[in-house]
Amino acid sequence: MSKTISYFLIVIGGLVAIYAQAKAEQNQLILIAGIVILMLGIYNISRNIPSKADQEDEHENNL
């Protein structure tokens, strides 16, 4: 998935979750759906970030 789609999922998920929380009667299903969409976006963004251990190994190999 591209970064643009991931950021879009984060924004949409956040807005849906906020909308579900703002009502006097909270709709649990809408809130859960918003959180799931938000987490999918965050997962897709974080999946492309290398771990700190990988960065240190790569730095040592370049020396």
Side-chain angles (χ1 to χ4, degrees):
M1 229 184 255
S2 71
K3 281 187 178 181
T4 307
I5 295 172
S6 297
Y7 287 123
F8 182 72
L9 288 175
I10 291 170
V11 171
I12 294 299
L15 290 174
V16 169
I18 290 171
Y19 171 75
Q21 279 289 90
K23 288 183 157 184
E25 291 182 18
Q26 296 179 0
N27 190 338
Q28 299 269 331
L29 292 177
I30 294 176
L31 179 61
I32 292 170
I35 292 171
V36 167
I37 294 169
L38 176 69
M39 295 307 290
L40 281 172
I42 292 172
Y43 171 74
N44 285 327
I45 292 290
S46 67
R47 188 175 64 181
N48 295 326
I49 299 172
S51 70
K52 187 175 180 181
D54 291 343
Q55 288 177 349
E56 290 174 357
D57 291 342
E58 186 176 303
H59 180 67
E60 289 174 2
N61 291 338
N62 289 335
L63 291 179

